[in-house]
Amino acid sequence: MSPISILVLHGPNLNLLGQREPGIYGTVTLENINQQLHSLAGKLKCEIECHQSNHEGNLVDAIQGALGRHDGILINAAAYTHTSVAIRDALTAVDIPAVEVHLSNIYRREDFRHHSYIAPVVIGQVSGFGAQSYILALQALVNHLQP
Ligand code: DQA
């Protein structure tokens, strides 16, 4: 049996983690988050593939490309969380179990961040634990796929 495979998607501006608003997002870089995820994936005996894009269409393409290749999707759609019907529709279309991640607690921030187009079509959401949100989300997703 082949190991569980997870696609990790990071949306716009997350390539700037480490230098971007450190008071909100912390000082951990995206590379470091990906390293932490790879290390956890090794322990959980699953495979992960990480992608970042600043472009909505690229994220839609990546979600579509997960069909037949990945068993789960971990997604921090960043600002597109609050605007993108296209990303939500892509997640619904592929029907691959997904978990939504945010470094910051989006419900403690500006009103426009309180609504997520993605939340209603994913298994669950982890928000507010900084880089640890990704770790918790990967554990939860793998648990869901392999109870
Ligand atoms: C974010 C929260 C979003 O509101 C914001 O646009 C981001 C990052 C987070 O991880 O906390 O870019 O998704």
Side-chain angles (χ1 to χ4, degrees), residues 37-50:
L37 288 172
H38 276 287
S39 148
L40 176 61
K43 288 178 195 145
L44 298 175
K45 302 202 185 324
C46 66
E47 287 174 355
I48 61 166
E49 193 181 310
C50 302

Side-chain angles (χ1 to χ4, degrees), residues 117-146:
Y117 277 99
I118 291 164
V121 302
V122 293
I123 303 163
Q125 185 192 65
V126 184
S127 174
F129 298 96
Q132 184 72 9
S133 289
Y134 283 94
I135 298 295
L136 296 168
L138 181 60
Q139 283 170 338
L141 182 54
V142 172
N143 257 345
H144 174 88
L145 294 169
Q146 192 184 56

Side-chain angles (χ1 to χ4, degrees), residues 55-107:
H55 305 279
E56 187 176 19
N58 287 349
L59 294 165
V60 170
D61 286 344
I63 293 167
Q64 289 187 11
L67 254 188
R69 295 185 54 223
H70 298 287
D71 307 297
I73 298 175
L74 205 69
I75 181 165
N76 184 351
Y80 289 137
T81 304
H82 319 297
T83 63
S84 181
V85 176
I87 290 175
R88 174 193 172 125
D89 282 354
L91 288 168
T92 311
V94 297
D95 200 24
I96 296 172
V99 173
E100 175 181 351
V101 183
H102 299 286
L103 295 132
S104 62
N105 178 348
I106 56 174
Y107 303 101

Side-chain angles (χ1 to χ4, degrees), residues 5-65:
S5 176
I6 308 288
L7 175 65
V8 179
L9 282 180
H10 306 285
N13 301 305
L14 295 174
N15 53 313
L16 297 181
L17 284 180
Q19 64 184 78
R20 173 191 182 203
E21 300 183 86
I24 294 175
Y25 299 116
T27 52
V28 183
T29 62
L30 191 62
E31 199 187 330
N32 187 270
I33 288 175
N34 288 339
Q35 280 167 0
Q36 290 186 45
L37 288 172
H38 276 287
S39 148
L40 176 61
K43 288 178 195 145
L44 298 175
K45 302 202 185 324
C46 66
E47 287 174 355
I48 61 166
E49 193 181 310
C50 302
H51 286 298
Q52 187 275 330
S53 178
N54 292 324
H55 305 279
E56 187 176 19
N58 287 349
L59 294 165
V60 170
D61 286 344
I63 293 167
Q64 289 187 11

